[in-house]
Structures are given as structure tokens and as C-alpha cells.
Amino acid sequence: MTGSLYLVRHGQASFGATDYDQLSDLGHRQAERLGTYWAERGMCFDAVLTGSLKRHAQTWAGIAQGAHWDDTPTVWPGLNEYNSEALIHEVLRAHNTPQERLLHTPDGHRAHFRLLRDGLKLWMDGSANPPGMPRYGDFVRGVTDALDHVRTHHAGQRVLMVSSGGPIAAAVGHVLGLSPQSIIDLNMRIRNSAVTEFVFNPKRHSLLTYNTLPHLNDSAHAAWVTYA
């Protein structure tokens, strides 16, 4: 039997704030809009899995509110995002550069993502393992364990996962056998509240769509498209 797995990146979080792990007002609206869009088309899910971060729980709450669903999700910590600040710190430490000097500049936003790319490369090839973070292979196993769980326990069903850009890119990279650089490129391009769809059978997942925003695909919501 063929099932469907929908992976949703969280809504816009609080980039630049003291606590990034909170949806912005727009992030809440993005999530609720996705739920409304699905409900208008008769969509429902047999199971829901989310990471354990606040932005994951808040995104699911917004989807559920928009769709008028009351499902209780399974919390799966393997769907949590990597620590981007720890990765950036590793790069700056290697170059003996204070973080404040580089990031608190007019080019700070671009510098953040340039450094994140460099940090991801180091982490993925094993050259860096920031304190408190899993090794990259263990991070990927947390994602693939969730994929295996879906195939094993939800054959022929429609399943929703709410996660972050890193785990979703890792899932796509695993299914397609992509290089680390290609996975980083996918990660950097995924948009807030974007939907990625796999079809699956007991043996494997196959990618159907990546990084789509059907719920924002009109002029009324064009300004709702964000990346952080």
C-alpha cells in the first residue's frame, strides 16, 4: 500500500531576537493559513509527528486551528533542528573572529548564512562537532528513524511531520542520495511553512514535491513568503 508523508517547515520564527525559537506574528498566520487551505480541500491526516521545539509545537497549533483539527501529535526529538549558532561559533573560533564584529554589521544577515554554510560543511564532513550537538551522522539517523517509523507503522496512511529546514533537507538528501553540498543548498532555500511531500511503501520513500507553498500562491499572500 502506498502512503503519503507531508513534511512542513515551521512558520517564520524570531530571527535576530533573543529567543529565535518562537514564531513571529506572521509565522502564526502562515501556519494557520496552511491549515485553512488543507481543510478547504478536505485534507486530514492519520498521524502527526512534530519535533520538540517551541516553533514546531506552535506551527502545529496554528495548522490545527486553521483546519479545526484536534489531533494529538507524537513528539519526535529526532526532527529537531541543529544549533546554527553553535556551528557559526565554530567557524568564527577557527578564524579567531569575535561574532559581534562580523554579525552586527550592515551585512550581518548575509554573513550569518555564509558562516552557517561553512559551519554545516565542517559538521557534515566531521571536521567540527560543537559541544552539545550530535555528530552529523547521528542527526541524520534521528530523521531516518522517523521515516522508518512512518513506513513501519502507517502503511497506506497520510502522515504529517512538522520540523525544520535541516531535518527536511536531510530527509530529501537521504531519499535521493544527494551530496552534502546539495543538501546544504536545499536547506538554505526552504521557505517557512513550505510543504514537501513523499510517497512511501514498506520498502522506501520517494520524493513527490519539495518546498511548495500552495497556501500562499496568490497575490493576497505574496508578502507572506519568508525564509527564516
Side-chain angles (χ1 to χ4, degrees), residues 37-48:
Y37 174 88
W38 275 338
E40 288 172 347
R41 285 152 184 81
M43 281 277 287
C44 60
F45 293 93
D46 299 293
V48 179

Side-chain angles (χ1 to χ4, degrees), residues 174-193:
H174 170 75
V175 168
L176 297 183
L178 299 179
S179 68
Q181 184 58 56
S182 294
I183 293 171
I184 292 171
D185 289 341
L186 287 177
N187 188 177
M188 294 297 104
R189 291 184 173 93
I190 190 166
R191 298 170 291 185
N192 295 116
S193 76

Side-chain angles (χ1 to χ4, degrees), residues 5-228:
L5 172 61
Y6 292 74
L7 297 94
V8 172
R9 188 190 177 202
H10 60 80
Q12 184 188 56
S14 299
F15 185 80
T18 303
D19 184 8
Y20 172 77
D21 192 22
Q22 296 277 357
L23 293 192
S24 67
D25 288 343
L26 177 55
H28 285 286
R29 296 198 302 273
Q30 290 167 336
E32 186 173 348
R33 171 62 190 154
L34 178 56
T36 300
Y37 174 88
W38 275 338
E40 288 172 347
R41 285 152 184 81
M43 281 277 287
C44 60
F45 293 93
D46 299 293
V48 179
L49 285 75
T50 74
S52 64
L53 300 177
K54 288 181 286 187
R55 58 189 183 272
H56 299 155
Q58 292 166 0
T59 298
W60 163 243
I63 293 170
Q65 180 176 341
H68 302 289
W69 294 333
D70 60 2
D71 309 61
T72 299
T74 297
V75 177
W76 196 282
L79 295 174
N80 286 354
E81 185 64 287
Y82 52 74
N83 186 335
S84 60
E85 293 300 322
L87 291 171
I88 289 171
H89 178 76
E90 284 293 299
V91 177
L92 293 174
R93 185 177 61 83
H95 292 87
N96 196 29
T97 302
Q99 183 167 350
E100 292 77 8
R101 183 188 304 172
L102 190 59
L103 297 183
H104 293 171
T105 67
D107 193 40
H109 187 272
R110 290 177 183 161
H112 174 95
F113 289 103
R114 284 199 304 269
L115 290 167
L116 179 55
R117 280 181 174 272
D118 292 344
L120 284 167
K121 291 176 187 175
L122 294 174
W123 182 46
M124 293 169 84
D125 69 18
S127 300
N129 187 39
M133 282 184 61
R135 295 189 181 278
Y136 182 69
D138 294 329
F139 173 81
V140 173
R141 273 189 289 278
V143 177
T144 59
D145 283 351
L147 297 179
D148 291 345
H149 171 83
V150 169
R151 286 201 319 275
T152 301
H153 296 281
H154 299 289
Q157 295 184 343
R158 185 182 287 149
V159 180
L160 172 64
M161 285 184 182
V162 179
S163 183
S164 291
I168 293 172
V172 174
H174 170 75
V175 168
L176 297 183
L178 299 179
S179 68
Q181 184 58 56
S182 294
I183 293 171
I184 292 171
D185 289 341
L186 287 177
N187 188 177
M188 294 297 104
R189 291 184 173 93
I190 190 166
R191 298 170 291 185
N192 295 116
S193 76
V195 181
T196 293
E197 185 180 356
F198 292 145
V199 293
F200 65 91
N201 59 36
K203 292 185 177 181
R204 66 181 63 86
H205 285 81
S206 300
L207 181 67
L208 188 62
T209 67
Y210 177 72
N211 196 25
T212 65
L213 293 171
H215 55 300
L216 304 182
N217 192 26
D218 57 42
S219 59
H221 298 96
W224 291 25
V225 177
T226 60
Y227 289 82

